Amino acid sequence: MIPRIHKRGQRTLGLLHYLYGPGKFEEHTDPHLVASWDHNVPDPGREENATLKQLQRLLDQPIENLEASERPRKHVWHLSVRNAAEDRVLTDEEWGDIARGMVAAAGVDDPEQGGAGCRWVAVRHAEDHIHIVATLVREDGYKPRLHNDAVRVQNRARTLEAELGLRRLNQGDGTAVRRPTSAERHKARRRGRERTAREELREAVRGAVAGAWGEEEFFERLAAAGLLIRRRVAPSGDLLGYKVALPGDRNKDGEPVFYAGARLAPDLSLPRIRERWTTHHDQSTASHPDPSPAPGDPAVARRRTTTAARKALVVIEHGPDAVVAAHIAATGEVLDALALTSAAHTRHALHEAARAFERASRSHIRAERGHDRSLRRAARELIHAGPALGRGEDGATTAMVIDMLFFLITATAHRHARHHHAQQAAAAHQAANHLRAAYRAAAPGPLGALRHRGRHLPRPVRRRQAAVLRRALPEVAERILAEPGWPALAATLTDLETTPHDPATLLTDAAGQRELASAHSLSDVLTWRLRHTADLPADTPTHHPPRRPGNASDQRAARRSHPRPSRK
């Protein structure tokens, strides 16, 4: 249940005309009253002789009783209450009880005072919501201040959800983005677009700021994204803010519809963006930005991002709140950058993960910037390395980085939950689910090649790797051996034998890096951790790696499995 307090107004009759009218897009059906301050109030929607003007006069009568100098300039209070799409259809009686609870919670009416509150009506013109209109002057001339009314109606909504068996929403904390208005949603539908201009612009700006190292680069990226840009400059020449618009989004006068950064999201105002460019030593990198990295290999950028995410895990789990907040925000930049450079088969899921995680990246804990530099640099390298093709090494390293980001975002969800940040924790869990989908799209190719090679290892080699696994991880070894991904892990352990690393030691370290309880496949997780730690190629060739010299039994077994062709 979503209650929304609209801007106060001064024309009661105009609002009633809208509520009882057909709506801007003929969406209003059967408008009628479901509750009011007085049971005898005439209903223009159901009573033939009742008029909107009559209803307006009744609502505004306390205003007329005041001297003109004492009347408030804006006396019309407007609250809409909407159910979730999956909720059942409530009856008029239930909506009436909801309306009475909302005006009491807000302080508009006090049922215990016997009608001494403000006058109000609740109008229903759709199955899923009502509108409450109130006059903010009581019968005795008192004008309620309604301090914190938004918080109180939200609290009442949470109680009503439980009482009526509706979808339970998390308590808001004032850090969420502004929801698109109904006019914006209808406009998007008319244009045949799934998302509103506000939502498209927010995503484009987040992509432009991901890993950007200063104002010049940020605005260059906005322009490259095709956005119209309007800068707000002080008389001194200092840049104060910015606005952006989509080229095709215009108002009735044919002018572009601009949105300030702060209207897109609280952390997209220019002052908040500038905080990302300030180091821990309070030296602005906006004036001395790092040089743009040369276009590189997407696979290398993904490996470095995996390293940065692995280090950030420790901070998310054990760091101080302000530093953790910076790392969580920078993780959002990494997701934005990864989504922008992803291959077609992972693009949708990664975009959904980035959109969901946006809510998790903001809280009332102020980020202490500078410590998050490695994550922001990783986002920057992803952008400059360009799109991955989704094949070969860059496809495999995409699966590797998604696997690591899944654990990073799961740790973020747990951190938010410990701080009772319900909406942020829910958003992080949602982003993790989308990352699972992205991983399922990215991993089959590279893991399939590894599994194929592992299944064709000589039997003595497979036995030796199983013994290594049982010695290193006795508690989970049998589970791993039964997983479909075990052959890939066996092939990886075999590859480790050609490196200076001890496979058993590295396997123990890999298992101890982070918890494995949330992993769908322990063998897959360990495979990626080992290949990343030992810097093994993520996409391996199909031929067998060289064996250790001196292991004659293995060499004989390999010859039996792959005999030399006969010479004729």
Side-chain angles (χ1 to χ4, degrees):
M1 180 176 294
I2 305 172
R4 179 189 176 194
I5 296 178
H6 301 259
K7 291 182 179 180
R8 294 186 185 180
Q10 55 189 359
R11 294 186 64 249
T12 306
L13 185 59
L15 180 54
L16 291 176
H17 270 294
Y18 168 73
L19 298 180
Y20 276 92
K24 295 181 178 179
F25 306 97
E26 303 293 333
E27 72 274 22
H28 296 174
T29 58
D30 187 23
H32 59 279
L33 292 182
V34 293
S36 65
W37 85 97
D38 189 323
H39 293 297
N40 297 318
V41 172
D43 182 2
R46 293 290 173 86
E47 299 177 31
E48 184 177 353
N49 296 324
T51 65
L52 295 178
K53 184 63 177 178
Q54 182 182 15
L55 180 57
Q56 175 261 321
R57 286 175 175 171
L58 288 172
L59 282 168
D60 287 349
Q61 187 174 350
I63 294 286
E64 301 300 327
N65 294 336
L66 295 177
E67 297 290 340
S69 60
E70 297 180 1
R71 296 174 185 174
R73 189 171 67 88
K74 293 186 177 181
H75 65 275
V76 181
W77 187 80
H78 179 199
L79 169 71
S80 59
V81 186
R82 184 181 300 273
N83 271 354
E86 60 268 32
D87 284 336
R88 62 184 176 87
V89 177
L90 302 180
T91 65
D92 280 353
E93 290 72 21
E94 287 174 315
W95 276 120
D97 291 338
I98 290 171
R100 282 182 280 272
M102 287 293 177
V103 293
V108 170
D109 196 8
D110 187 352
E112 297 182 0
Q113 294 296 321
C118 300
R119 296 188 175 191
W120 61 272
V121 294
V123 180
R124 182 182 189 182
H125 56 209
E127 288 186 340
D128 62 348
H129 70 278
I130 60 172
H131 292 261
I132 300 174
V133 181
T135 300
L136 294 183
V137 175
R138 295 193 328 198
E139 300 282 353
D140 58 5
Y142 178 76
K143 297 180 281 292
R145 298 184 183 276
L146 305 189
H147 176 68
N148 233 13
D149 53 348
V151 174
R152 293 198 297 273
V153 297
Q154 288 286 350
N155 291 338
R156 181 59 182 165
R158 305 292 83 78
T159 302
L160 289 167
E161 289 163 357
E163 292 177 353
L164 297 172
L166 305 176
R167 178 186 174 189
R168 304 287 294 275
L169 300 181
N170 292 314
Q171 186 69 41
D173 62 0
T175 61
V177 299
R178 289 182 57 181
R179 295 170 59 86
T181 65
S182 59
E184 290 173 343
R185 290 194 298 270
H186 287 300
K187 185 177 184 180
R189 282 197 287 268
R190 288 199 313 273
R191 298 170 61 203
R193 306 180 79 95
E194 294 183 358
R195 310 178 71 220
T196 65
R198 184 195 299 271
E199 292 168 321
E200 290 186 21
L201 286 169
R202 181 166 63 245
E203 186 169 319
V205 174
R206 290 186 67 85
V209 80
W213 230 249
E215 286 179 8
E216 183 178 354
E217 182 180 3
F218 170 58
F219 285 108
E220 285 177 355
R221 289 195 194 175
L222 289 179
L227 304 187
L228 304 178
I229 307 167
R230 182 177 292 171
R231 308 188 193 202
R232 185 162 61 92
V233 181
S236 62
D238 295 332
L239 182 62
L240 299 178
Y242 72 99
K243 295 180 179 181
V244 288
L246 295 176
D249 184 34
R250 298 182 178 273
N251 60 21
K252 58 183 176 58
D253 298 322
E255 299 173 342
V257 180
F258 281 91
Y259 292 82
R263 288 182 61 199
L264 299 176
D267 56 341
L268 293 183
S269 68
L270 187 58
R272 293 294 300 277
I273 289 176
R274 281 171 171 161
E275 292 176 3
R276 308 177 191 224
W277 304 325
T278 303
T279 68
H280 180 53
H281 302 291
D282 199 29
Q283 296 172 341
S284 173
T285 60
S287 57
H288 301 287
D290 280 9
S292 296
D297 185 348
V300 173
R302 280 154 173 72
R303 279 187 171 276
R304 291 175 178 170
T305 302
T306 303
T307 301
R310 180 166 58 84
K311 293 178 180 178
L313 258 171
V314 180
V315 179
I316 297 293
E317 292 178 339
H318 306 294
D321 289 346
V323 175
V324 170
H327 278 74
I328 292 175
T331 300
E333 294 190 45
V334 171
L335 280 175
D336 288 327
L338 190 62
L340 287 171
T341 58
S342 59
H345 63 299
T346 59
R347 188 175 304 147
H348 176 73
L350 287 173
H351 273 294
E352 291 300 316
R355 290 167 186 164
F357 192 76
E358 179 195 14
R359 183 68 188 91
S361 65
R362 289 188 304 273
S363 71
H364 283 300
I365 299 175
R366 195 61 176 265
E368 186 176 306
R369 293 291 187 170
H371 301 282
D372 57 341
R373 193 178 183 87
S374 61
L375 278 175
R376 296 202 71 248
R377 187 184 296 276
R380 179 178 178 78
E381 290 183 351
L382 287 171
I383 293 292
H384 283 271
L389 298 177
R391 301 188 301 272
E393 182 75 0
D394 70 341
T397 51
T398 295
M400 179 186 290
V401 71
I402 291 172
D403 178 75
M404 183 59 69
L405 286 172
F406 171 82
F407 287 98
L408 179 60
I409 288 173
T410 301
T412 298
H414 294 163
R415 179 84 183 207
H416 277 312
R418 290 197 299 271
H419 284 73
H420 306 290
H421 299 163
Q423 289 195 348
Q424 288 86 345
H429 280 301
Q430 185 181 5
N433 289 335
H434 289 302
L435 281 179
R436 280 189 188 275
Y439 178 79
R440 287 194 293 267
L447 280 179
L450 281 169
R451 291 176 184 179
H452 176 79
R453 192 157 61 83
R455 284 191 293 267
H456 288 80
L457 289 172
R459 184 174 299 175
V461 177
R462 297 200 303 270
R463 289 175 177 171
R464 184 174 71 246
Q465 306 309 357
V468 170
L469 176 66
R470 290 189 175 100
R471 184 170 68 252
L473 304 175
E475 296 180 353
V476 295
E478 298 308 317
R479 173 184 167 183
I480 293 174
L481 289 170
E483 290 182 345
W486 159 242
L489 181 57
T492 298
L493 291 172
T494 304
D495 290 345
L496 286 174
E497 294 178 345
T498 65
T499 72
H501 301 283
D502 174 63
T505 302
L506 210 61
L507 187 58
T508 303
D509 292 343
Q513 286 177 10
R514 297 275 77 77
E515 56 87 19
L516 292 172
S518 56
H520 179 70
S521 170
L522 300 184
S523 51
D524 287 2
V525 172
L526 292 173
T527 294
W528 294 128
R529 289 183 184 178
L530 290 175
R531 303 197 78 83
H532 176 257
T533 303
D535 200 26
L536 294 172
D539 183 62
T540 59
T542 56
H543 63 76
H544 297 300
R547 307 296 173 199
R548 281 180 172 178
N551 197 329
S553 62
D554 289 353
Q555 294 171 4
R556 287 194 298 272
R559 287 195 293 271
R560 286 195 297 271
S561 300
H562 302 277
R564 293 180 181 178
S566 59
R567 297 179 180 177
K568 293 185 178 179

